[in-house]
Amino acid sequence: MALVSAPVLAPVSALARWLKRRLVVIAGLGTLGYLLLPNIVVTVFSFNNPKGRFNYEWQRFSTDAWTDPCGVADLCGSLSLSLQIAAWATLGATVLGTMIAFALVRYRFRARGAVNSLIFLPMAMPEVVMAASLLTLFLNLGAQLGFWTILIAHIMFCLSFVVTAVKARVMSMDPRLEQAAQDLYAGPAQTFLRVTLPIAAPGIAAGALLAFALSFDDFIITNFNAGSTVTFPMFVWGSAQRGTPVQINVIGTAMFLVAVLFVLAGMVISNRRNRQKAS
């Protein structure tokens, strides 16, 4: 058997070292590409002009759906309803979740451990179980299914995610900063508004964004408790049975671009603050 010469092994060894140094980066980029692939497909097919009712095969490039995103009946109405519910659910879950997170971290009271465990229950429970339980509750109370039952249900299951995000931030806060503010004769309200709240703001913002995304995207819990009300995820599901309009891809692409802009804006603001602190 002929031995492989050193000049042949050198490039292979160099390539192996290069891959070893950049393996984590390559794996991260591959995972990111895999996660973004559905968004790319949705964006591409938002410019499609299908011949039939289903937008599953590429036919011809067209911008008609972008020029008339509300061309499908009830699409923009369901989208507006989902945005309203998500906004109010985010507000309610963020306010209640922030107060609960501070109470769990800063105070000692009876059943504190039980409350901590119950907070994680909606996150661990299957959505269909929670949806059926809420439907049973609303029916027993005689509530009319619609906007308000959806809103209450969304606040309930978004609350756990907000508490988890804010609680992690509050636990990492240095209490000496608040004590220093009190030593400088700041009152409780001033200390909270000028010291505590700004430090906890990233956790609160993260919980609010997560609550908005979960509320807007939810289908199972909403479908059980909506009655005759139709949100955007329910409209998409119903359209998929009869035919998928291109406008759904347009709305999905626009939402993805808005989310990317929010992330980029957050990165820019964070970098500017870091530069100001460094200077």
Side-chain angles (χ1 to χ4, degrees):
M1 182 181 295
L3 296 177
V4 181
S5 60
V8 177
L9 288 175
V12 177
S13 179
L15 178 61
R17 290 195 300 269
W18 185 87
L19 290 174
K20 185 177 180 180
R21 290 195 301 267
R22 294 168 174 80
L23 183 60
V24 176
V25 176
I26 295 173
L29 292 176
T31 304
L32 183 62
Y34 177 76
L35 293 174
L36 292 178
L37 183 60
N39 297 298
I40 296 173
V41 173
V42 169
T43 302
V44 170
F45 276 82
S46 68
F47 295 97
N48 188 25
N49 186 16
K51 294 181 179 180
R53 294 178 302 168
F54 296 95
N55 186 26
Y56 297 152
E57 296 182 3
W58 181 263
Q59 299 293 335
R60 184 170 62 87
F61 180 85
S62 174
T63 59
D64 293 342
W66 281 92
T67 56
D68 188 18
C70 296
V72 180
D74 298 329
L75 188 150
C76 285
S78 63
L79 176 62
S80 175
L81 180 63
S82 288
L83 290 174
Q84 293 178 41
I85 293 174
W88 285 110
T90 300
L91 179 61
T94 302
V95 173
L96 293 175
T98 301
M99 292 190 293
I100 293 173
F102 272 95
L104 291 174
V105 175
R106 295 293 180 85
Y107 299 96
R108 300 292 182 268
F109 52 90
R110 290 183 178 180
R112 180 170 173 266
V115 173
N116 265 314
S117 301
L118 290 174
I119 286 297
F120 289 97
L121 192 59
M123 301 172 63
M125 183 185 300
E127 284 196 15
V128 66
V129 176
M130 179 180 292
S133 302
L134 288 170
L135 176 61
T136 304
L137 173 65
F138 291 138
L139 291 178
N140 287 330
L141 293 176
Q144 183 178 0
L145 300 181
F147 178 90
W148 293 107
T149 55
I150 297 174
L151 179 60
I152 294 171
H154 283 204
I155 292 176
M156 289 183 67
F157 78 81
C158 288
L159 191 63
S160 300
F161 295 91
V162 176
V163 171
T164 303
V166 178
K167 183 181 174 183
R169 181 65 177 179
V170 175
M171 291 178 66
S172 64
M173 292 172 55
D174 189 353
R176 292 176 297 182
L177 297 176
E178 295 170 300
Q179 294 172 2
Q182 294 171 0
D183 290 339
L184 295 174
Y185 303 103
Q190 287 181 312
T191 303
F192 178 78
L193 293 176
R194 297 191 178 186
V195 179
T196 308
L197 188 60
I199 297 176
I204 297 174
L209 292 175
L210 185 58
F212 183 88
L214 291 170
S215 174
F216 183 86
D217 186 59
D218 182 76
F219 171 76
I220 297 177
I221 296 177
T222 304
N223 190 38
F224 270 74
N225 300 279
S228 60
T229 305
V230 179
T231 61
F232 183 69
M234 295 175 63
F235 178 87
V236 173
W237 180 82
S239 298
Q241 314 303 313
R242 305 182 300 271
T244 310
V246 185
Q247 282 81 356
I248 290 179
N249 295 64
V250 173
I251 299 299
T253 302
M255 291 169 54
F256 173 71
L257 294 177
V258 170
V260 171
L261 290 176
F262 268 107
V263 172
L264 293 177
M267 293 175 60
V268 171
I269 294 173
S270 178
N271 291 334
R272 287 183 178 179
R273 289 180 177 177
N274 291 336
R275 290 176 183 174
Q276 291 177 355
K277 291 180 181 179
S279 60

